Amino acid sequence: MPDQPAPRRELERVRDGGGPGADHARTALTATSPPDRLRAAILALASARGPESSTCPSDAARAIADDWRPLLPEARELARELAKTGEVQLTQHGRPLDPGGAWTGPIRIRVSRA
């Protein structure tokens, strides 16, 4: 549907494609808890894009909610938590970020290399 945000359409393509991130995409599109949906959207988008590409916390927020801006701080914190567990890597201006460190500004999220 053209009136849906691009990240939501991408999440649906990932779910329907059955490849990397498909299970997370299903969770992101159906879970009832916003944190569960955000976490799953981050993992789905990062997994589908692979280790050579990345996603933004706002993509995950826009994929699950029309009013996505209030979800952005939570998406950034969930990305930090996922980076602490090694599931994703965070970067800023192409450089890795310490998930336990202090940082501000735009970040990118990519799936961790196997």
Side-chain angles (χ1 to χ4, degrees):
M1 295 199 153
D3 59 332
Q4 288 183 332
R8 184 168 306 149
R9 290 192 310 270
E10 181 179 358
L11 211 52
E12 290 171 350
R13 282 192 305 273
V14 171
R15 175 201 61 200
D16 296 343
D23 289 338
H24 291 301
R26 274 189 282 284
T27 299
L29 292 166
T30 61
T32 56
S33 161
D36 290 345
R37 293 185 74 200
L38 270 174
R39 179 180 283 107
I42 290 167
L43 290 169
L45 294 171
S47 295
R49 293 180 185 188
E52 300 303 319
S53 189
S54 64
T55 188
C56 177
S58 68
D59 289 339
R62 289 184 298 153
I64 69 160
D66 292 330
D67 187 17
W68 60 271
R69 287 186 191 275
L71 295 176
L72 193 50
E74 185 173 9
R76 289 171 59 90
E77 282 308 308
L78 286 168
R80 183 188 293 268
E81 289 175 19
L82 290 167
K84 286 179 180 177
T85 65
E87 294 179 77
V88 299
Q89 295 175 332
L90 304 179
T91 62
Q92 190 171 55
H93 304 292
R95 294 184 299 274
L97 288 175
D98 174 1
W103 36 264
T104 59
I107 62 167
R108 301 292 296 177
I109 307 162
R110 68 176 176 219
V111 69
S112 295
R113 287 181 164 84

